[in-house]
Amino acid sequence: MVASQAMRVLHSSNVHVCKGHGRMAHVALHHSRYTESQISTAKHRFHQMKRNTPSTLSLNGPRVVCAASNGQDMASDYRTKDESDIRVLVVGATGYIGKFVVRELVNRGYQVVAFCREKSGIGGKQGMEDTIKEFPGAEVVFGDVTDMASLDSVGFKKPVDVVVSCLASRTGGIKDSNLIDYQATANAMNAGRKNGAQHFVLLSAICVQKPLLEFQRAKLKFEKELMEAGDISYSIVRPTAFFKSLAAQVQLVKEGKPYVMFGDGTLAACKPISERDLASFIADCVKQEDLKNKVLPIGGPGEALTALDQGNMLFRITGRNPWFFPVPVAVMDGAIGLFDWLASIFPQLEDSAEFAKIGKYYAVESMLALDPKTGEYSADLTPSYGNDTLEDFFKQAVEEGLKGQELGDAAVFGINKE
């Protein structure tokens, strides 16, 4: 039983005029041959822009070239418009955080488009009708983020001002990480750039600041491309631990079982944030000028908490005497070595090796901002946001259960999966 607990803890037209910031504008021609009508249209559209903003015409051949500075288009900044006139596309809308982001944006009065999978939820059990019911006030569309044509034709059927990505790989496995954390997210950005979106809000993770895992490297690869794009502004949100990720032992402690921790329980700390508060911060990034073109670590309110702190909190709430089961970190090192060896013989086990590495990472690395001067994790440098506390969340979970906080594909041995 205890060993099982320990393992669970691991874990358009052919001619486009692309406008740039300041004094730069380029006409980009998609094909190598053009009709007189197409050229005339391009010239007309260009001179319309030129009357409003000094610009330079550049014909650069068959590739699309959009010149911009600081991610700001020469067209009127969407931030000057009322929320009701700003169209926001959310990809990853049916995910754990994505659902709350869609609802928060709807509550703030934005035109929200929720880009969803036809089958979503844990095990793909949720169909399209169920998904539509989840998002009253939003326009729900269905497509595939791994397919650019689907994003173009479905997600950007109408002009979009802002793209919000809440995409994340389900398991952190190697192929899944590169497909979702990098490629699908890049698809959403490039479709947005192609179709005139001005801003991209990315839900990333604070742990990418020390990348030792495949999903972290995939996220960082995309972050770099986003920051270097030049023709779209960005807000990169790097949250600490979610409440859900700390909830796995609630029911076990409630049942009188020990709280499993690595080492003495003080190896790592975090400032956990609720999905509601995180969604609110992401929504702030849509329009707030001071959050533009920034990497934004963010945590919840209160002090940083270690595993020992969290365990004592649960024992206090449940009224049970503290009973901890410490697991030596060396156990994880042994598991990683074993799975790496097995994966070298059986490549299909590469994800098992990666999962063991993920387990150790979260056991020994804090989900706090790194101090660039000292290289140490710092609670003081990790901004706090919101009002929801982990203690209140634990109290509610003990009283009402964990419905809505299921771990899905991230569950180990099926604990709290559904």
Side-chain angles (χ1 to χ4, degrees):
M1 176 272 296
V2 170
S4 174
Q5 279 184 260
M7 285 302 294
R8 177 195 43 70
V9 174
L10 306 182
H11 197 80
S12 88
S13 66
N14 289 329
V15 182
H16 290 268
V17 179
C18 300
K19 297 177 287 182
H21 180 61
R23 297 180 177 274
M24 302 188 70
H26 294 261
V27 173
L29 303 179
H30 281 189
H31 303 290
S32 58
R33 297 180 181 178
Y34 311 95
T35 66
E36 290 297 325
S37 174
Q38 289 171 334
I39 294 173
S40 175
T41 298
K43 288 180 178 179
H44 174 70
R45 293 172 68 185
F46 173 75
H47 287 298
Q48 278 185 321
M49 290 191 331
K50 193 173 182 180
R51 282 195 293 269
N52 296 321
T53 306
S55 57
T56 301
L57 176 63
S58 174
L59 298 179
N60 289 321
R63 294 183 63 82
V64 175
V65 179
C66 291
S69 173
N70 298 323
Q72 180 59 59
D73 192 272
M74 283 191 333
S76 60
D77 189 341
Y78 75 91
R79 291 177 181 82
T80 64
K81 299 190 292 187
D82 291 335
E83 283 81 358
S84 60
D85 295 322
I86 298 173
R87 189 170 176 86
V88 183
L89 174 70
V90 181
V91 293
T94 56
Y96 174 60
I97 300 300
K99 292 177 182 179
F100 287 88
V101 170
V102 170
R103 294 165 187 158
E104 179 68 20
L105 291 170
V106 168
N107 288 339
R108 295 192 185 196
Y110 289 101
Q111 296 178 33
V112 183
V113 182
F115 192 93
C116 306
R117 292 171 288 154
E118 291 186 3
K119 293 185 178 296
S120 60
I122 297 171
K125 296 179 181 179
Q126 184 166 289
M128 291 188 287
E129 290 186 5
D130 294 325
T131 300
I132 292 171
K133 291 177 183 177
E134 273 203 288
F135 299 127
E139 177 184 343
V140 181
V141 299
F142 297 92
D144 182 359
V145 289
T146 66
D147 182 358
M148 278 289 289
S150 177
L151 279 163
D152 275 338
S153 62
V154 178
F156 293 90
K157 192 173 183 179
K158 297 178 182 178
V160 168
D161 297 295
V162 180
V163 179
V164 176
S165 174
C166 296
L167 293 170
S169 58
R170 296 184 187 181
T171 64
I174 293 173
K175 291 180 180 178
D176 194 35
S177 294
N178 285 287
L179 178 63
I180 303 301
D181 293 309
Y182 171 68
Q183 190 57 64
T185 314
N187 288 347
M189 175 189 70
N190 288 324
R193 295 168 66 195
K194 177 181 175 183
N195 290 282
Q198 293 188 43
H199 190 58
F200 194 99
V201 182
L202 173 66
L203 173 60
S204 186
I206 202 166
C207 59
V208 302
Q209 63 193 336
K210 191 174 181 179
L212 302 178
L213 305 169
E214 195 64 28
F215 83 87
Q216 296 165 342
R217 290 187 284 266
K219 287 180 181 292
L220 271 182
K221 181 179 179 181
F222 174 72
E223 284 190 12
K224 183 174 184 291
E225 291 187 9
L226 175 59
M227 288 187 283
E228 292 178 351
D231 55 2
I232 189 167
S233 61
Y234 61 85
S235 298
I236 296 174
V237 181
R238 292 181 175 177
T240 62
F242 305 151
F243 285 0
K244 179 176 78 167
S245 65
L246 305 177
Q249 300 197 69
V250 170
Q251 187 61 34
L252 297 171
V253 170
K254 185 178 177 180
E255 293 171 356
K257 297 180 175 67
Y259 186 92
V260 178
M261 61 187 183
F262 290 94
D264 64 358
T266 63
L267 297 174
C270 64
K271 294 175 71 172
I273 188 168
S274 72
E275 63 276 359
R276 180 170 56 186
D277 285 340
L278 179 55
S280 177
F281 183 75
I282 290 172
D284 289 348
C285 292
V286 169
K287 199 173 180 182
Q288 282 188 209
E289 188 75 27
D290 61 334
L291 300 178
K292 183 178 77 172
N293 292 338
K294 290 182 179 178
V295 175
L296 303 160
I298 195 71
E303 301 296 320
L305 301 171
T306 64
L308 182 63
D309 295 329
Q310 296 164 38
N312 280 322
M313 186 183 293
L314 271 177
F315 288 122
R316 185 170 63 252
I317 291 170
T318 58
R320 295 190 175 276
N321 293 325
W323 180 19
F324 291 96
F325 186 86
V327 178
V329 175
V331 171
M332 294 301 306
D333 293 327
I336 291 170
L338 174 62
F339 282 119
D340 274 342
W341 176 74
L342 290 172
S344 69
I345 302 172
F346 307 104
Q348 64 269 30
L349 294 177
E350 64 177 4
D351 277 354
S352 296
E354 188 69 11
F355 299 153
K357 293 172 186 175
I358 292 172
K360 180 184 177 182
Y361 189 100
Y362 286 122
V364 302
E365 302 290 347
S366 291
M367 298 297 107
L368 299 170
L370 277 173
D371 187 333
K373 296 179 180 178
T374 66
E376 301 292 329
Y377 292 110
S378 171
D380 292 337
L381 293 180
T382 307
S384 296
Y385 182 93
N387 300 299
D388 296 337
T389 67
L390 183 65
E391 183 166 9
D392 287 340
F393 169 78
F394 277 168
K395 287 178 180 177
Q396 182 176 354
V398 167
E399 294 174 3
E400 303 175 13
L402 288 167
K403 184 175 177 56
Q405 303 290 336
E406 297 82 4
L407 294 173
D409 291 332
V412 179
F413 299 134
I415 298 174
N416 195 32
K417 179 173 182 176
E418 300 185 37

